[in-house]
Amino acid sequence: MADSTTLEHIRYRIRRDTHGAIQWFRDNWRERRWFRWLASLIAGGLLLLVIGWIILARDLPSADTLVDYEPPLPTIVRGIDGQIVHSYARERRVQLQYADFPQELIESFLAAEDKTFFSHGGVDITGTIGAAFDYATKFSSGERAVGGSTITQQVAKNILLGDEYSVTRKLKEMILARRIEGVLTKPQILELYLNEIPLGRRSYGVQAASRAYFDKDVGELNLHEMAFLAILPKAPERYGRARYEDLAITRRNFVLDQMVANDFVTAQEGAAAKAQPLGLKPSRSAVPSVDAGYFLEEVRRLLMAKFGETAEDGKNSVYAGGLWVRTSLDPELQLAARDALRGGILRYSAGKGWSGPIAQIDVSDDTWQSQLAASPLGISYKDWRVGVVVERSGGSGRIGFSDGDTAPLTGMPDALKAGDVIAAAPVGSSYAVRSVPEVSGGMVAEEPATGRVLALQGGFDHRLTDFNRATQALRQPGSTIKPFVYATGLDQGMTPATEVPDQSYCFYQGAALGEKCFRNFGGGGGGVHTMRWGLEQSRNLMTVHIAMDAGMPNVVRTFERLGIGSYKPYPAFALGAGDTTVLKMVNAYATLANFGRMHSPSLIDYVQDRRGKVIWRSDKRECARCNMAEWDGTAMPRLGASGRQVMDPRTAYQVVHMLEGVVQRGTAVRVASLGLPLFGKTGTTTGPTNAWFIGGSPDIVAGAYIGFDKPRNLGGWVQGGNTGAPIFIDFVKATRDRWSDEPFVAPAGVRMVRIDRQSGRRVFDAWPTNEPKASVIWEAFKPSTEPPRATRQDEVAAKRNEILELIRRGRQVNAQAAAVTRKREVEAKADFVEEQGGIY
């Protein structure tokens, strides 16, 4: 009863007071003009405030998006050993958790930017009033007013709004700051801020800036270094430059004083930090990078095709997704491939004179430095540098570099002129012109068992041109394609001991093309020889005979099955007239070394998102029970075989075994100097326009070619053996510890039989030796294709006839000797009689 009476009393008081207030307003409205004006002004102001609020707030992004906000992060690339080798980044970004930031670093930023951060609700009224007053005093002066933004407001600006300089943006920033404080905790806001704040040198966030300015992680920073980072949000591009060092020290010391005033550090610690120099390091790459530009650019291209380039293309894009990419790049093999290919290119180009400028730029004004700095041109070879000829007068000239330095230029060719971008090397106090070879080439190294590309070099230097000759240049493979012609012949019933004519072959190609006649490289020919000899000596005529006997449709199907290319069934393609790439040819040879099981060549092993989840992998095999929490006591899980069986493993081994002979005594005999069990094949195309070598071991297969980008004659002396093979030799010598002494092993179903190397006939009374040109060798045959044992009788009969012939000849010799002896005896007796006076 009492509660009801109290409630009724409260209602009565509300009605009474409300009625009184209304009546008071009505009385004043009727009787006082100034009251009417004041009330109207207040109402209008409130109305404008509501309308303005609606206009400003209606299109603002939701603060809730920051709860799951993922900053754009670069893609990090690792090599085959897991070490970081590169990053795809247009900005330096590293994301840390709040617990990863040192407390003194947090306090440095609070002292510099927002000392009341933990007490305000997103907007600091005092700071805002000061900023408004500063804006009013600087209005129309062209100067930028003090921002007065809290850390929360800066988060709203950096992530949600942008850096527009206007009152409207400032009001939106304040609205969003209040909303952010409602959805995020103070530590979460600080974490976003310290990870996203732009700090110069293309760095976003304190960890990236710590690396950019001091080459340290945030946990390694000293107090004076933390205070320096805290001054950067005000003017990152100013304080980070050497010419503004005094301003930077003054501002840093102010921050240290604020830290002392706020009891973040002691006065002694602050004084010690103020006594330190800035200690800035020169700007350098955020991530160490292996000189593997062609390989890494190919990886980038593949990633962009799968995941897109920017955040607009998807959450796992290359330049925003924060991907972790494990590649098959082997830094040791990559650098060896680069140097080996360069060595081959330079050997060919030696003594051929200046090849012309790399590019040309306008040097008629003072913009040559910015033009050169903006270009991607560069070179990483010895002490060479890329520069531009800024002036030339007769025999004297000057070269300028992207850093603005200039120097005298010597050794200038007659054709050199101002504006030419060239390579030069220091000689004393000047620079001498160097010739970047016009000829180029490509090289690839692959792991046969998996198809992983271990090294890939697409030219002399990727900074000069990004055209990748290992993957993009279509070249004629020449004789390097012959092993696959022979493989087709073996599949069609031939053997390495099959005798093939080394004789002219003409082919009628139809009324339009007429008759085509083939010849051996260098001419010559004649006789009949084994398939092995034909491959070892790279005989064109024998190859064409094998191709036509096996059927050209079958030959081109072999090419297509091994990924070399799709060609018409014309005999010229059996000699390497079709176009292909180094990568495709090396992969085909790797298939031979892998017993006919082919893998698609891969540069990327797997890709993880920013949280470590694998989102793509090249090995698609499933491993049942691999992720069991506990071992169930059964046999270990086993992955199935990878790749596709595209060739009879016995055929593949037979070809490899013959290609070992190419190295031991054939066109690639100089490779035998390495003293390793290797197989390989040289290749020289008509002209010659390309010089090739492809070969390797059971563990690594590598191949390279040299040629002009627009194919033209390299010179009559050029062959795969003297130009292509030395590149491979240099590659192996530089990585000798990576090459096993284990020989190739024959697969099941192969019979090793002793044969005469020249005739291909079976041998029973001799054994092979280690001599490369031994008359008896081991040859690989499929069951029931080896020379039949019936030849034993022929050998016995031949040996019997040989013995009988020797006996017959021996008897003749004995008879002749006996006759001579009798004659001599008769003559001796006659002489004796004559001496005795005719009496006997």
Side-chain angles (χ1 to χ4, degrees):
M1 188 67 178
D3 291 343
S4 176
T5 302
T6 302
L7 183 60
E8 186 63 29
H9 177 71
I10 292 173
R11 289 174 179 171
Y12 167 76
R13 291 288 300 274
I14 292 173
R15 287 196 300 269
R16 186 192 68 183
D17 293 345
T18 302
H19 178 74
I22 294 173
Q23 187 61 41
W24 176 84
F25 185 84
R26 286 175 179 174
D27 292 343
N28 281 283
W29 181 268
R30 286 194 305 267
E31 298 173 2
R32 295 177 176 86
R33 180 181 295 181
W34 64 267
F35 184 83
R36 291 195 297 270
W37 281 100
L38 181 60
S40 298
L41 186 61
I42 293 173
L46 290 173
L47 180 62
L48 289 175
L49 185 61
V50 171
I51 294 173
W53 180 276
I54 293 172
I55 292 173
L56 290 172
R58 64 179 178 176
D59 294 328
L60 288 180
S62 173
D64 292 330
T65 59
L66 296 180
V67 175
D68 299 318
Y69 174 70
E70 292 184 339
L73 294 175
T75 289
I76 304 299
V77 182
R78 298 182 184 273
I80 196 170
D81 58 357
Q83 296 298 311
I84 295 176
V85 295
H86 192 66
S87 70
Y88 302 119
R90 293 178 178 137
E91 301 168 344
R92 298 172 185 258
R93 289 182 184 268
V94 180
Q95 189 175 19
L96 299 181
Q97 302 295 320
Y98 181 76
D100 297 326
F101 299 115
Q103 184 63 29
E104 286 186 336
L105 179 64
I106 294 173
E107 292 167 347
S108 297
F109 277 87
L110 293 180
E113 294 293 316
D114 190 358
K115 62 183 178 181
T116 62
F117 172 73
F118 282 100
S119 60
H120 64 62
V123 178
D124 182 0
I125 300 301
T126 304
T128 302
I129 293 173
F133 179 78
D134 190 58
Y135 180 81
T137 59
K138 293 178 179 177
F139 184 73
S140 75
S141 68
E143 293 184 61
R144 187 159 183 154
V146 174
S149 296
T150 64
I151 283 178
T152 311
Q153 287 175 261
Q154 291 184 59
V155 169
K157 177 187 70 173
N158 293 332
I159 300 177
L160 300 177
L161 291 177
D163 197 25
E164 177 193 358
Y165 180 63
S166 68
V167 175
T168 302
R169 195 268 299 163
K170 179 63 67 174
L171 293 172
K172 291 180 178 180
E173 183 183 290
M174 295 169 66
I175 296 171
L176 273 177
R178 295 290 298 173
R179 293 179 177 178
I180 291 171
E181 292 276 349
V183 297
L184 296 178
T185 65
K186 290 289 187 178
Q188 287 174 325
I189 295 171
L190 264 179
E191 181 181 308
L192 279 174
Y193 174 76
L194 294 175
N195 278 324
E196 287 297 305
I197 186 71
L199 298 174
R201 292 194 180 181
R202 297 190 303 115
S203 300
Y204 288 77
V206 293
Q207 170 62 20
S210 179
R211 275 287 168 191
Y213 289 101
F214 300 110
D215 197 21
K216 295 180 179 180
D217 294 323
V218 291
E220 302 171 321
L221 293 175
N222 297 313
L223 178 59
H224 71 279
E225 294 167 335
M226 297 178 185
F228 171 80
L229 294 183
I231 74 173
L232 292 174
K234 294 294 184 186
E237 297 305 328
R238 172 179 292 185
Y239 293 137
R241 296 180 184 274
R243 64 175 176 268
Y244 297 119
E245 182 177 353
D246 292 341
L247 288 175
I249 290 177
T250 300
R251 177 65 182 171
R252 181 202 67 180
N253 291 347
F254 168 77
V255 171
L256 289 169
D257 288 338
Q258 291 297 304
M259 294 183 72
V260 173
N262 287 279
D263 295 327
F264 293 149
V265 296
T266 66
Q268 292 79 5
E269 290 171 332
K274 289 167 66 175
Q276 297 294 323
L278 288 183
L280 304 185
K281 302 288 187 182
S283 182
R284 54 186 292 271
S285 175
V287 174
S289 182
V290 174
D291 189 11
Y294 289 108
F295 189 109
L296 295 169
E297 177 58 23
E298 187 68 12
V299 169
R300 189 183 77 96
R301 186 185 66 79
L302 295 170
L303 290 172
M304 287 174 57
K306 293 179 185 296
F307 303 111
E309 180 177 0
T310 62
E312 289 73 20
D313 299 318
K315 65 178 183 179
N316 293 319
S317 62
V318 173
Y319 286 99
L323 303 178
W324 292 86
V325 181
R326 176 66 73 92
T327 70
S328 55
L329 174 66
D330 188 309
E332 181 186 3
L333 295 181
Q334 175 62 41
L335 295 180
R338 180 200 66 182
D339 293 343
L341 182 62
R342 281 181 178 176
I345 290 172
L346 290 169
R347 278 192 296 271
Y348 173 82
S349 301
K352 289 183 168 54
W354 187 55
S355 59
I358 300 168
Q360 291 182 324
I361 63 175
D362 184 7
V363 294
S364 60
D365 53 27
D366 293 332
T367 64
W368 61 265
Q369 180 188 350
S370 59
Q371 293 181 62
L372 191 60
S375 76
L377 298 175
I379 196 167
S380 176
Y381 177 70
K382 293 186 176 179
D383 55 358
W384 291 17
R385 297 179 68 184
V386 168
V388 60
V389 182
V390 294
E391 60 181 58
R392 177 171 186 176
S393 177
S396 63
R398 293 192 71 80
I399 186 171
F401 301 103
S402 58
D403 58 4
D405 290 344
T406 63
L409 188 63
T410 62
M412 295 181 292
D414 293 339
L416 187 72
K417 60 185 181 298
D420 285 346
V421 178
I422 62 170
V427 178
S429 60
S430 61
Y431 277 78
V433 177
R434 293 290 182 260
S435 180
V436 175
E438 185 180 5
V439 74
S440 196
M443 186 171 190
V444 172
E446 183 178 324
E447 186 178 67
T450 62
R452 302 164 84 195
V453 176
L454 305 174
L456 186 149
Q457 185 71 13
F460 191 85
D461 196 305
H462 70 96
R463 301 165 189 83
L464 300 174
T465 170
D466 58 3
F467 179 63
N468 193 333
R469 294 158 190 85
T471 61
Q472 295 175 300
L474 295 175
R475 313 295 296 198
Q476 292 183 342
S479 294
T480 59
I481 209 168
K482 289 178 180 176
F484 307 100
V485 177
Y486 281 65
T488 308
L490 294 171
D491 281 338
Q492 297 300 315
M494 299 181 186
T495 75
T498 297
E499 293 187 319
V500 180
D502 184 26
Q503 298 164 4
S504 63
Y505 189 94
C506 293
F507 175 73
Y508 183 68
Q509 304 176 99
L513 299 176
E515 188 175 56
K516 167 71 175 178
C517 290
F518 298 91
R519 66 183 183 87
N520 287 318
F521 182 83
V528 177
H529 304 277
T530 63
M531 279 183 68
R532 166 178 284 279
W533 185 87
L535 187 56
E536 290 178 355
Q537 304 304 318
S538 197
R539 306 298 284 182
N540 289 348
L541 293 176
M542 294 180 67
T543 303
V544 173
H545 277 285
I546 292 169
M548 298 307 289
D549 289 346
M552 271 308 300
N554 295 324
V555 171
V556 295
R557 276 196 291 271
T558 298
F559 295 163
E560 187 168 2
R561 199 165 59 247
L562 275 91
I564 297 171
S566 298
Y567 311 120
K568 298 290 185 181
Y570 300 146
F573 291 120
L575 300 179
D579 289 333
T580 187
T581 66
V582 182
L583 182 62
K584 291 179 179 179
M585 289 302 298
V586 170
N587 191 59
Y589 273 72
T591 302
L592 291 175
N594 196 38
F595 304 113
R597 182 170 288 274
M598 187 176 77
H599 298 87
S600 296
S602 64
L603 285 74
I604 302 173
D605 291 345
Y606 58 85
V607 180
Q608 297 168 282
D609 66 14
R610 66 176 67 211
R611 293 180 178 82
K613 179 183 177 182
V614 175
I615 57 177
W616 184 89
R617 57 190 176 97
S618 61
D619 190 343
K620 306 297 184 183
R621 293 176 295 172
E622 296 296 331
C623 183
R625 301 183 301 111
C626 282
N627 294 324
M628 290 187 297
E630 295 181 1
W631 180 44
D632 61 2
T634 60
M636 289 286 289
R638 292 288 186 269
L639 289 169
S642 60
R644 294 179 296 114
Q645 195 72 46
V646 297
M647 181 184 290
D648 186 329
R650 301 169 301 176
T651 298
Y653 178 77
Q654 286 179 300
V655 175
V656 168
H657 193 55
M658 288 191 285
L659 291 174
E660 288 183 282
V662 174
V663 171
Q664 293 166 358
R665 52 188 165 266
T667 57
V669 68
R670 68 179 61 202
V671 178
S673 64
L674 294 169
L676 290 168
L678 299 170
F679 80 116
K681 183 71 184 73
T682 57
T684 311
T685 57
T686 302
T689 56
N690 302 287
W692 289 75
F693 179 83
I694 306 174
S697 71
D699 301 318
I700 302 173
V701 172
Y705 89 92
I706 282 183
F708 292 100
D709 287 342
K710 292 183 178 179
R712 67 173 191 262
N713 197 313
L714 290 168
W717 60 274
V718 172
Q719 296 180 30
N722 60 29
T723 303
I727 297 174
F728 178 82
I729 293 172
D730 289 346
F731 176 67
V732 175
K733 285 182 176 178
T735 57
R736 178 62 180 82
D737 60 323
R738 305 291 298 277
W739 297 79
S740 170
D741 293 323
E742 295 297 321
F744 291 92
V745 177
V750 170
R751 291 175 58 89
M752 302 303 295
V753 176
R754 289 174 288 163
I755 67 167
D756 181 85
R757 182 171 60 85
Q758 296 290 342
S759 67
R761 293 183 179 179
R762 198 162 179 176
V763 173
F764 294 93
D765 56 354
W767 291 89
T769 67
N770 291 328
E771 288 296 321
K773 294 187 177 181
S775 59
V776 178
I777 63 172
W778 290 109
E779 191 59 273
F781 293 92
K782 297 172 186 174
S784 302
T785 65
E786 64 270 21
R789 295 187 65 84
T791 57
R792 171 75 170 168
Q793 312 232 343
D794 297 336
E795 290 184 358
V796 171
K799 181 64 69 175
R800 183 189 61 210
N801 292 335
E802 181 182 349
I803 293 172
L804 290 175
E805 179 65 19
L806 289 174
I807 293 173
R808 185 181 63 78
R809 289 179 180 177
R811 287 175 176 173
Q812 290 177 347
V813 169
N814 291 336
Q816 291 174 355
V820 171
T821 300
R822 285 196 299 272
K823 180 179 178 181
R824 287 177 178 174
E825 290 177 349
V826 171
E827 291 175 349
K829 288 180 179 181
D831 292 340
F832 178 78
V833 170
E834 183 177 354
E835 289 176 359
Q836 298 298 322
I839 300 172
Y840 183 70

